[in-house]
């Protein structure tokens, strides 16, 4: 896939798993993009008071604290329910696209430049476990070992094209075991905390190298969704995958396992689909807002909520989506349920908190929640 193809894909969809690619897209217009990302791989993030006013792309809970990540290598921590944020040192200044903790000590961050970071002390310190330079060598060695001509061709292309390819989502299965997916169909697994990596690309029915935006797990099942309507489902913990046919050929930026056999997909232009039979058949959910759906989450009460590029928080029912009755926010990139009956919404211009009572239990709810903007320290 050419850089032009990547740019076109990125322009079609803007935020969250995509916003990271959007930032890549803008860089592709600049001569010397590989050198730019190369430099960011080696340069620690700059200290700044602008972290809580910048593009933040993902967040996770660490006990009662929140860790959020985003552009320029920002890693932010809040210990007061997202009212204030403190910047944590980062060994790189690439844009981060995802963060996930296994427990209160071990967690991982992914991002541009093939970056994977790890913490073993609750996010106080972060160590580089993978970058784009290492990635090219890993793929090349594996392709030669497997005597796989197609994998060898792709590995050589990635090496020649530079270490700029972003990871877009991650799945942390235990303290040492994680899978990362990203642009150009990148998919790798580590079972030793990122010390070594095993490519998964040969396991995926992804002949065109479509970008992979979301990876989810439920029991032995692993679901991966991405560009051009790509959806793959494993029933054996990722050892093999089946291609799942969907009614839509656009990009899916978020996916969720719901009840047994139920899968939710959403993405470009607000298109969203529900399957109740492990992807054998699909029902499209009506949506009054045709904006890219960029992230979703299941609340503790079982309610499925999502955010979109138009700044709305949406909830899902069996046949439609509906915006929650709160004022629109800036373009949203992530949604997370946090302590104190609140939702944390990340955006292009920082974090916002929304009172959880505003989450409608029915589409007719008219309860409004207060919106609070966090501050950086």
């Amino acid at each position: 896939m050419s850089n032009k193809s990547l740019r076109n894909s990125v322009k079609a969809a803007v935020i969250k798993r995509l916003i990271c690619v959007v930032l890549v897209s803008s860089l592709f217009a600049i001569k010397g993009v590989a050198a730019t990302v190369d430099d960011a791989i080696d340069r620690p993030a700059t200290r700044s008071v602008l972290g809580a006013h910048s593009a933040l792309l993902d967040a996770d809970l660490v006990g009662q604290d929140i860790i959020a990540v985003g552009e320029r290598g920002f890693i932010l921590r809040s210990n007061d329910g997202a009212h204030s944020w403190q910047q944590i040192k980062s060994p790189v200044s690439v844009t981060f696209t995802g963060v996930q903790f296994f427990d209160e000590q071990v967690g991982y961050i992914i991002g541009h430049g093939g970056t994977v970071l790890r913490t073993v002390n609750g996010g106080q310190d972060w160590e580089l476990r993978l970058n784009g330079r290492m990635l090219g060598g890993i793929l090349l060695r594996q392709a030669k070992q497997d005597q796989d001509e197609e994998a060898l061709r792709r590995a050589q292309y990635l090496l020649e094209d530079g270490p700029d390819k972003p990871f877009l989502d991650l799945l942390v299965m235990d303290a040492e075991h994680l899978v990362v997916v990203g642009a150009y169909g990148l998919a790798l697994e580590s079972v030793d905390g990122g010390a070594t990596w095993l490519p998964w690309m040969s396991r995926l029915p992804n002949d065109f190298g479509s970008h992979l935006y979301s990876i989810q797990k439920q029991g032995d099942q692993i679901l991966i969704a991405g560009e051009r309507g790509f959806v793959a489902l494993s029933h054996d913990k990722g050892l093999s995958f089946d291609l799942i046919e969907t009614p839509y050929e656009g990009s899916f930026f978020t996916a969720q396992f719901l009840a047994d056999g139920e899968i939710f997909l959403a993405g470009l232009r607000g298109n969203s689909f529900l399957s109740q039979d492990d992807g054998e058949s699909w029902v499209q959910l009506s949506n009054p807002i045709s904006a890219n759906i960029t992230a979703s989450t299941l609340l503790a009460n079982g309610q499925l909520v999502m955010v979109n590029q138009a700044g709305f928080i949406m909830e899902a029912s069996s046949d439609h989506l509906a915006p929650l009755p709160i004022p629109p926010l800036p373009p949203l990139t992530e949604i997370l349920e946090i302590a104190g009956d609140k939702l944390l919404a990340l955006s292009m211009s920082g974090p916002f908190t929304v009172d959880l009572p505003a989450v409608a239990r029915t589409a007719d709810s008219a309860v409004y929640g207060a919106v609070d903007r966090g501050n950086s320290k």
Side-chain angles (χ1 to χ4, degrees), residues 40-336:
I41 289 173
D42 297 323
R43 186 179 65 248
T46 302
R47 296 289 298 178
S48 174
V49 298
L50 300 177
H53 304 277
S54 301
L56 297 177
L57 305 183
D58 201 11
D60 201 7
L61 294 173
V62 188
Q64 296 299 310
D65 290 0
I66 307 165
I67 299 286
V69 300
E71 64 176 333
R72 304 177 191 174
F74 284 137
I75 307 174
L76 305 178
R77 178 189 291 272
S78 176
N79 56 16
D80 59 6
H83 292 295
S84 64
W85 297 85
Q86 300 79 41
Q87 186 176 352
I88 298 171
K89 290 182 180 180
S90 167
V92 297
S93 54
V94 300
T95 293
F96 293 132
T97 57
V99 57
Q100 191 175 129
F101 277 77
F102 172 70
D103 55 26
E104 293 190 17
Q105 297 301 315
V106 178
Y108 297 86
I109 290 173
I110 59 167
H112 284 209
T115 300
V116 179
L117 305 184
R118 186 189 192 211
T119 181
V120 294
N121 60 4
Q124 296 180 53
D125 302 289
W126 294 88
E127 178 187 8
L128 182 70
R129 305 301 284 170
L130 182 65
N131 66 26
R133 295 193 208 103
M134 304 175 196
L135 175 62
I138 290 169
L139 298 182
L140 188 61
R141 285 192 297 273
Q142 188 66 47
K144 290 179 178 179
Q145 178 180 318
D146 296 342
Q147 297 184 335
D148 186 330
E149 291 298 324
E150 178 61 22
L152 183 61
R153 184 190 65 78
R154 290 185 181 182
Q156 289 172 333
Y157 170 77
L158 289 174
L159 278 171
E160 294 169 2
D161 201 48
D164 54 290
K165 310 305 179 290
F167 290 124
L168 304 175
D169 201 11
L170 74 164
L171 174 65
V172 177
M173 290 183 269
D174 63 37
E176 302 290 320
H177 190 184
L178 71 154
V179 181
V180 295
V181 298
Y184 293 94
L186 288 173
L188 294 97
E189 175 187 41
S190 176
V191 296
D192 53 13
T196 60
W197 295 88
L198 176 67
W200 270 22
M201 282 85 84
S202 63
R203 305 183 188 185
L204 297 176
N206 187 12
D207 295 338
F208 295 102
S210 296
H211 310 319
L212 306 177
Y213 298 124
S214 182
I215 180 169
Q216 299 290 323
K217 184 177 185 295
Q218 184 182 74
D220 290 344
Q221 292 185 309
I222 294 179
L223 177 71
I224 298 177
E227 182 189 22
R228 303 178 185 178
F230 176 84
V231 180
L233 181 63
S234 171
H235 296 280
D236 53 14
K237 300 180 181 180
L239 294 176
S240 63
F241 285 84
D242 296 320
L243 185 66
I244 302 299
E245 297 292 336
T246 71
Y248 186 57
E249 295 183 355
S251 294
F252 293 118
F253 307 138
T254 186
Q256 294 287 341
F257 283 114
L258 304 179
D260 288 344
E262 289 189 339
I263 298 172
F264 172 79
L265 301 170
L268 192 64
R269 301 187 182 94
N271 284 282
S272 55
F273 298 85
L274 179 66
S275 173
Q276 296 181 315
D277 51 15
D278 278 336
E280 291 292 328
S281 62
W282 296 89
V283 174
Q284 184 166 12
L285 307 184
S286 64
N287 183 358
I289 303 173
S290 58
N292 299 335
I293 295 172
T294 53
S296 63
T297 191
L298 277 174
L299 304 182
N301 64 6
Q303 178 65 48
L304 175 64
V305 296
M306 64 219 68
V307 293
N308 67 20
Q309 183 184 346
F312 288 94
I313 302 175
M314 314 279 289
E315 65 171 348
S317 68
S318 60
D319 61 358
H320 70 279
L321 307 182
L324 300 186
I326 61 174
L329 298 168
L332 297 175
T333 60
E334 183 58 275
I335 186 73
L336 177 70

